[in-house]
Amino acid sequence: MGKILSLGVSEEMIARAEAELAVRFPDTLRSAWMQYNCNELRGGWRVFPIFDADNPRKTAGSVVYENLKGVWGQEVMAQGLVSIADNGTGNQLVLKLTAGQAGQQIYHWSHETRKLTAWKPGLPAILAAAEKSRAQVVQLQQRFAPAPPAAAG
């Protein structure tokens, strides 16, 4: 059986991403990444993961990559925002930055108008999605785990 990948990331991995972006993310978002690192939300939103060298294929479009090299990330960051998710159409979910601290309110940034509107589900929705995804994966792992070897007798 292959190596089992971790579902979430460590505090150190998040701190590394924050250092690269010069941003401190809200604790709720940090907790979501520690629970489950590849979150999808209703409405087709994909929360950018923290890069994980043990799982590079799933985390290549990391929050660092998307903000520093992604199509919209550089524009968003130039506006004093940090992008945490996208929906595949160019629209972003962003947090406002104040002295390197990301705010608690999530905004929907429209790539067509460049305007912000409050995204009402907020950080609790991201944490709830992470907790739900983690529970579902753990349940599947338990259900399909190989049976322990029979005792010699």
Side-chain angles (χ1 to χ4, degrees), residues 137-150:
V137 171
V138 167
Q139 183 180 23
L140 288 170
Q141 286 174 334
Q142 291 170 345
R143 182 176 177 189
F144 295 104

Side-chain angles (χ1 to χ4, degrees), residues 98-149:
T98 304
Q101 175 66 49
Q104 298 287 323
Q105 173 65 54
I106 298 176
Y107 295 91
H108 171 255
W109 180 84
S110 168
H111 76 285
E112 293 171 347
T113 65
R114 308 319 199 245
K115 291 187 179 177
L116 298 174
T117 54
W119 188 68
K120 295 189 187 237
L123 288 170
I126 293 175
L127 182 57
E131 290 169 343
K132 181 178 179 182
S133 293
R134 181 182 187 85
Q136 289 172 335
V137 171
V138 167
Q139 183 180 23
L140 288 170
Q141 286 174 334
Q142 291 170 345
R143 182 176 177 189
F144 295 104

Side-chain angles (χ1 to χ4, degrees), residues 4-96:
I4 295 176
L5 299 174
S6 131
L7 299 178
V9 293
S10 68
E11 184 83 31
E12 293 77 23
M13 294 164 83
I14 296 169
R16 206 173 355 213
E18 289 176 328
E20 287 184 65
L21 292 170
V23 169
R24 167 71 183 188
F25 289 107
D27 289 342
T28 304
L29 183 56
R30 295 166 61 87
S31 293
W33 280 319
M34 286 188 273
Q35 287 289 315
Y36 194 76
N37 193 31
C38 296
N39 291 293
E40 294 192 13
L41 307 169
R42 286 184 178 180
W45 294 104
R46 181 184 68 92
V47 178
F48 301 134
I50 298 293
F51 181 75
D52 182 351
D54 289 337
N55 196 359
R57 196 173 121 216
K58 263 212 149 125
T59 61
S62 71
V63 71
V64 171
Y65 176 85
E66 293 296 338
N67 279 281
L68 298 181
K69 297 180 180 169
V71 174
W72 299 105
Q74 293 175 21
E75 182 172 341
V76 165
M77 288 202 84
Q79 295 178 26
L81 307 166
V82 62
S83 182
I84 60 168
D86 74 6
N87 67 357
T89 67
N91 295 330
Q92 309 285 304
L93 293 182
V94 300
L95 301 170
K96 289 183 180 179

